[in-house]
Structures are given as C-alpha cells and as structure tokens.
Amino acid sequence: MFLEEERMYEAASKFSDEEFLFKLAYLSDMFGKLNELNLQLQGKDKHIPHLADKINAFSRKLEVWGRRLDQQNIDVFENLSEVAENTDSGATTVIPCIKQHISSLKELFQKYFPNNSAYAWVMDPFNAAAPADFGSAEEDQFIDLTSDSTLRLRFKAQNLSEFWFGVEREYPLIGKRAVCILLPFATSYLCEMGFSAVASLKTKYRSQLNIEHDLRVAVSSLQPRFEKLCNAKQAHCSH
C-alpha cells in the first residue's frame, strides 16, 4: 500500500510474485538468526574462545539446514514456512536458490572464522591436548597443571579469567599465554557501552568536557560504598 501510494508500482507488483515473497520470507528468517548470533556475541566477560564456540555452532547449523533443504524440509525457517503454507505451489521453486545462499554463507564464515580448535586448551585444559606449538618448558608446565587435582576443582568453581590469572602465578609460561588469548576485546561491546555512557552524561545541562571520573563510575561494575564515602567527606569537613 505504501509503495502504491508513492506511485512505485513496479516495486509494489513484486508483492504479488510468489517467488519474491518466498525469498523475502527466507531472508527475514536468516537475518533474524544472524541477529540472534550477534546478540550472543555481545555482553560482559565475552572472550575470543567463547565467541569462537558460538560462531562454530552457527556454522554447523548452516550445514544442518542445507541437509534439511535436500529433503524439502523448511521448518527451521518460520516465515518461509508460513508463506509456503498459504500457497498452492509451496516453496520448492526457491529451495535451490536458498541452498546456494546457505552454501555461500557457510564458505564466508569458514573464510573469516577459520578452525578455532586452537583455543580448546584454554577453554578446558583438563580435557584437551597441549597445542603442537608449545615449547618443552610450556609442555612440562601444562602436564603439571593438568595433573594438579586442586586446580581441577578450582577450574570448575571459577570463570576462565579468574582461573588463568591464578594459574599465571604458579605456571607463568602457559598462564601468560592463556591470559594473552583472554585479554583482547573480542567485540566492540565495551566501546559501545562507553559511548552510551558518554551520551547519558553529556547532556545540554551538563556540558563540561572533563567527564573522566564520571565515566569511570558509570561503566564500572563495582558498587560504590556510599556510606564510607559520606563518612569520609563529613570527617574532612569537620577538620
């Protein structure tokens, strides 16, 4: 209706074309799944190995979806299934096109996100083999670490960052190597969170340029001890 009101009749006529509607519904489903993946990659305490697992899972799903299409099964694509149910021909005419798109998407994921098995020893050192590029001293420390029953219990109770920071003190070679993998920002989430905090702080009523201390408080996960701060302020004023 909008396109017809704007006199874009050629574009409006597409919505009477079943094949176009099938492709549009499929793209809606696929972009929805990509958006879900994108959300899984955001948030605090997201490290490169975690993200690699999510991307690997999505690549494997693409393979499964391609196999289902070989059997004319489109249940995984909700919008496409709904549109197909309301037509006589079904979506069989566009399945080859969809299969080609999924195959291309899988190749792009493999190109930009190659095999991520190199992080297995960081994610679960007690059930993974030592990487082939470990030196002799690193491999010796890895054996000592994976034979330590106390560390095995600690690994189950702590998150990755806490565990490897603790390991670094006792086994500095492999600890430092693991920390170097965990430290880099895997996504721009923290930067975007900082920009949002700046936008909230610097309103037209608060236009001062130096917001360093305010920004630190805004993005910190630490809870200020207001009572202690107030007591210290009162003590300072009384002097």
Side-chain angles (χ1 to χ4, degrees):
M1 289 174 63
F2 169 77
L3 293 172
E4 288 175 349
E5 288 174 359
E6 296 295 319
R7 299 182 180 180
M8 300 173 68
Y9 300 115
E10 184 177 353
S13 65
K14 293 284 188 181
F15 287 87
S16 300
D17 183 348
E18 281 189 358
E19 187 170 337
F20 172 81
L21 290 176
F22 289 147
K23 293 178 179 179
L24 182 64
Y26 160 73
L27 286 176
S28 173
D29 288 322
M30 182 56 75
F31 279 115
K33 295 182 184 302
L34 288 169
N35 284 337
E36 289 177 9
L37 173 63
N38 185 43
L39 288 175
Q40 291 174 354
L41 303 181
Q42 306 298 322
K44 295 181 180 179
D45 297 324
K46 297 289 186 180
H47 304 294
I48 290 177
H50 289 133
L51 273 57
D53 287 346
K54 297 295 183 182
I55 291 171
N56 181 51
F58 190 83
S59 297
R60 292 173 60 190
K61 288 178 183 178
L62 289 174
E63 294 180 7
V64 173
W65 298 340
R67 290 199 299 268
R68 287 180 178 174
L69 288 173
D70 290 334
Q71 304 169 358
Q72 309 293 311
N73 186 337
I74 59 173
D75 291 346
V76 69
F77 304 113
E78 296 178 2
N79 292 328
L80 177 59
S81 298
E82 185 177 346
V83 173
E85 287 177 359
N86 297 324
T87 60
D88 296 329
S89 60
T92 54
T93 55
V94 296
I95 283 181
C97 179
I98 294 174
K99 283 179 60 180
Q100 183 180 358
H101 180 261
I102 289 177
S103 178
S104 299
L105 192 59
K106 185 176 68 174
E107 289 176 3
L108 287 173
F109 266 81
Q110 291 172 346
K111 175 183 177 181
Y112 290 108
F113 308 103
N115 186 17
N116 300 305
S117 59
Y119 302 131
W121 71 276
V122 178
M123 295 293 289
D124 189 358
F126 298 97
N127 291 303
D133 60 343
F134 265 13
S136 298
E138 290 174 322
E139 194 162 7
D140 287 346
Q141 287 194 4
F142 187 79
I143 292 173
D144 289 337
L145 182 151
T146 53
S147 302
D148 192 325
S149 57
T150 303
L151 286 179
R152 185 185 293 270
L153 293 173
R154 193 188 304 170
F155 180 76
K156 295 178 180 179
Q158 295 178 326
N159 60 41
L160 276 181
S161 299
E162 293 172 342
F163 174 77
W164 282 112
F165 279 127
V167 165
E168 189 179 14
R169 292 191 290 270
E170 191 171 353
Y171 304 104
L173 292 178
I174 58 172
K176 182 178 180 180
R177 188 159 176 167
V179 169
C180 286
I181 293 173
L182 296 175
L183 272 181
F185 291 161
T187 69
S188 59
Y189 170 80
L190 294 176
C191 298
E192 293 167 5
M193 187 172 67
F195 284 130
S196 298
V198 170
S200 299
L201 290 170
K202 291 192 66 175
T203 66
K204 62 181 181 179
Y205 303 109
R206 300 182 63 189
S207 58
Q208 67 173 14
L209 295 177
N210 185 11
I211 61 168
E212 179 181 350
H213 299 302
D214 298 314
L215 182 60
R216 183 179 288 116
V217 173
V219 300
S220 175
S221 58
L222 299 176
Q223 293 294 325
R225 289 180 286 182
F226 291 110
E227 185 176 348
K228 183 178 180 180
L229 292 171
C230 291
N231 291 336
K233 187 72 173 177
Q234 289 173 357
H236 178 74
C237 292
S238 63
H239 289 307

